[in-house]
Amino acid sequence: MIEPKVFSVGQINRYIKNLMENDFILSSLLVKGEISNFKAHSGGHLYFSLKDAVGAISCVMFRQDALSLPFEPENGMSVILYGHVSLYEKTGQFQLYAEMMEPIGIGSLQIAYEQLKRKLEEEGLFDEDFKREIPSHVETIAVITSPTGAAVRDIIQIAKRRDPRVKIAVFPALVQGERAAEDIVQALKLANEWGKADVIILGRGGGSIEDLWAFNEEKVARAIFASEIPVISAVGHETDFTIADFVSDLRAPTPSAAAELATQPLMQKIEFVLQLEKRLERNCMAMIEDAKRRLLYIKERPVLKRPLERVYNAQLLLDKMELAMSKATKQKLLRYSEKIGTLDTRLVASSPFSVMKRGYMIGMNEHNKAIVSVKQVELDEVIRLRLQDGHLKAKILEKAVMDLGEEKADI
C-alpha cells in the first residue's frame, strides 16, 4: 500500500504562490475598483483594499512605486491598478501588488493639484493678509524663467518699452521637466539673497498641465510664500491657473501682462514727479506765507514796539512793593518792641531781686539750694543769706515750726 504524501503549510503556500506568479493573467494585469481601508505606512508603503459591487481584494504598493505617484490616494477614489497577484506565504493571504495607479474619470495630476491646493489653502498660504503690495516705482526686476523661451523676451521688451531706465536681472531656471521645481526654488533663493530687486516675475509660456506642473509643486509654493521680495506669477495663458498663481502676491495672466504690472510708463513717472514738484512748491509757498503772517503779528505786538515799557512798569511795581514791604516791616518791628517792653516789665516785677528791694532776703543752704522751710536746716548749720546788695553768712542758733493756721512764731 502506497503511503499518501503529507505536505506542510509552507509547502502548500509556496506552491500556490508559484502558480499565481507563473499564471499568464495574474502575473501582469489591470484591475479596476474603488479604494477603501487606505493606510499610508510610516515607511512609505501603501496598504488598502480594492473593491467593487461583488468583492474586494487586499492591495499593497511598495515605497519605490508609491513615490512616483503625483497624487495621494484616498478612500472612495476609483482607480485602475497595474500589478500582479501573489500570495503572502506568512499568512496565506493572496493580495494584489500594485506597481502603477491611475484615477478613473479625472487625471492623476488634476487630483494632485486639487489636493495640494486644498492643503495649502487650509494652511493660509493663499490668504490676502499675507499678500504684499507691488511697489509703485520699480527700479529693478528679477525675472525667473527659461533664458531661451519667448517669455523672457516678452518681459524684457515690454518692460523696457514702458520704462527704458528699469533694470532687469534674469535668473535662469528650468520651467519644465523633473528638475524644474528644484531649479525654480534655487532661483527664488538666489534672487532673495541678491536683494537688489524690487519685484520678482516668475513665469513661462503656455502648455499642458504636464508642461506647467513644476509650478504646481509644493516646494515651489512654499519658496514663493517665503520670499522677502514680492512675487508676480505669470505662468501660461490667461486660462491657466497653477498653485504658484494662488500663493504669489499678484497673478498676471501672461508674462507680458506681468511686465506691465511691474512697471510704470516713463512719461507717467515724469508726470508724477512734476505733480510732486508742484505740490512741493505750493506747500513751500504756503509755509512762507504763514511765516510772514506770524512775523507781522509778532512785529505789531507792543512788546516789540516799546520793548522798555514792560521794564519800566516792572520797575514801578518793584518800587511800590519795596515801599509796602518797608512800611510793613516797620509796623511789625514796632509791635514786637511794644510787646517786648510789656514782657520786660512783667519779668522785672516777678524777679526775686525786685522783692529784695522791699526788705526780703533769700536763704541758701550749703548745697546752694533755696531754703523755703525750717525743716530744711538744723541747729548750728551755717547758711548764706542773699540780699539785694550782697551776701551774709549766718549760723542757726534756734528754730521754731509754726502750727497749721499760726501766723507767727517767736524766735
Side-chain angles (χ1 to χ4, degrees):
M1 183 176 178
I2 301 174
E3 292 288 333
K5 183 174 179 59
V6 179
F7 296 94
S8 68
V9 173
Q11 289 175 324
I12 295 298
N13 283 349
R14 192 172 302 112
Y15 179 77
I16 296 173
K17 180 178 180 181
N18 289 333
L19 288 176
M20 289 182 175
E21 291 182 348
N22 292 319
D23 184 90
F24 177 75
I25 295 178
L26 298 181
S27 62
S28 177
L29 75 167
L30 294 170
V31 183
K32 179 176 70 172
E34 181 182 310
I35 294 176
S36 64
N37 301 319
F38 177 80
K39 180 180 179 182
H41 193 269
S42 58
H45 308 315
L46 306 181
Y47 298 95
F48 55 96
S49 296
L50 200 64
K51 66 177 184 177
D52 59 16
V54 295
I57 183 173
S58 296
C59 305
V60 61
M61 176 175 267
F62 293 123
R63 181 175 181 273
Q64 62 269 22
D65 295 318
L67 287 175
S68 63
L69 290 178
F71 66 98
E72 184 177 344
E74 297 176 346
N75 287 324
M77 186 181 291
S78 295
V79 296
I80 293 178
L81 299 184
Y82 169 76
H84 65 278
V85 176
S86 184
L87 186 81
Y88 185 46
E89 293 183 50
K90 205 166 190 179
T91 63
Q93 179 184 7
F94 81 93
Q95 54 190 3
L96 175 61
Y97 292 84
E99 299 172 24
M100 290 188 295
M101 184 186 304
E102 182 72 24
I104 297 175
I106 183 171
S108 59
L109 292 181
Q110 187 62 35
I111 289 179
Y113 171 86
E114 295 295 342
Q115 288 176 340
L116 181 60
K117 181 183 175 184
R118 184 169 60 251
K119 174 184 176 182
L120 298 182
E121 188 172 13
E122 290 173 354
E123 290 184 24
L125 269 67
F126 302 162
D127 289 357
E128 289 296 326
D129 294 341
F130 297 117
K131 305 293 185 187
R132 289 159 295 187
E133 291 187 7
I134 307 302
S136 302
H137 303 284
V138 173
E139 296 182 359
T140 305
I141 302 172
V143 180
I144 299 176
T145 188
S146 170
T148 58
V152 67
R153 293 194 299 271
D154 292 342
I155 291 171
I156 294 173
Q157 180 182 0
I158 293 174
K160 286 293 185 179
R161 186 183 67 209
R162 288 169 63 82
D163 185 359
R165 296 181 301 178
V166 71
K167 299 174 184 176
I168 299 176
V170 178
F171 290 80
L174 294 173
V175 291
Q176 184 174 333
E178 293 182 1
R179 291 182 50 245
E182 293 181 3
D183 251 27
I184 293 169
V185 170
Q186 183 64 20
L188 282 165
K189 182 180 178 182
L190 290 175
N192 276 272
E193 289 176 351
W194 184 52
K196 296 181 180 180
D198 301 304
V199 67
I200 296 173
I201 295 178
L202 170 64
R204 57 153 289 161
S208 64
I209 187 171
E210 290 81 8
D211 296 337
L212 305 180
W213 190 249
F215 298 90
N216 289 320
E217 293 275 4
E218 183 173 355
K219 63 180 72 174
V220 173
R222 297 195 181 278
I224 294 171
F225 186 77
S227 174
E228 296 180 2
I229 302 172
V231 178
I232 299 177
S233 174
V235 181
H237 301 302
E238 189 169 355
T239 56
D240 295 324
F241 280 87
T242 64
I243 299 296
D245 293 327
F246 295 109
V247 75
S248 293
D249 299 291
L250 181 65
R251 176 190 180 264
T254 62
S256 300
E260 293 182 359
L261 292 171
T263 56
Q264 193 175 28
L266 182 59
M267 291 306 300
Q268 191 173 338
K269 285 186 176 181
I270 294 173
E271 181 63 27
F272 179 75
V273 172
L274 291 176
Q275 289 178 1
L276 285 180
E277 185 179 357
K278 290 178 181 178
R279 285 174 57 188
L280 181 62
E281 184 178 355
R282 286 197 302 270
N283 291 340
C284 288
M285 292 302 299
M287 291 174 63
I288 292 172
E289 290 299 322
D290 183 60
K292 282 182 179 180
R293 286 193 298 270
R294 292 177 62 191
L295 182 61
L296 289 174
Y297 171 73
I298 294 172
K299 182 180 177 183
E300 293 299 321
R301 296 188 65 181
V303 69
L304 291 180
K305 283 190 171 183
R306 297 178 295 278
L308 294 178
E309 183 176 344
R310 294 189 67 180
V311 177
Y312 295 149
N313 290 337
Q315 186 64 50
L316 290 174
L317 179 62
L318 185 62
D319 292 343
K320 188 181 295 185
M321 292 176 65
E322 185 179 0
L323 289 173
M325 186 181 296
S326 177
K327 183 178 179 181
T329 303
K330 287 178 180 180
Q331 289 177 350
K332 204 161 192 178
L333 287 174
L334 181 60
R335 287 198 303 273
Y336 283 150
S337 179
E338 292 174 351
K339 190 172 183 180
I340 289 172
T342 302
L343 293 174
D344 184 60
T345 302
R346 291 172 61 186
L347 182 61
V348 170
S350 61
S351 173
F353 297 106
S354 298
V355 177
M356 290 178 184
K357 291 180 181 180
R358 299 199 296 271
Y360 293 93
M361 66 182 67
I362 302 173
M364 311 288 288
N365 63 15
E366 59 182 356
H367 300 297
N368 206 29
K369 290 185 177 181
I371 300 171
V372 296
S373 171
V374 295
K375 297 178 180 179
Q376 290 181 257
V377 295
E378 302 294 336
L379 293 175
D380 296 328
E381 183 179 345
V382 177
I383 62 173
R384 187 161 51 90
L385 301 176
R386 173 71 184 270
L387 289 80
Q388 67 170 348
D389 58 352
H391 300 270
L392 294 174
K393 277 189 178 183
K395 187 175 184 180
I396 304 300
L397 300 177
E398 186 178 346
K399 70 175 183 176
V401 180
M402 291 187 295
D403 294 331
L404 185 64
E406 189 175 357
E407 294 183 359
K408 64 179 181 177
D410 296 331
I411 302 300

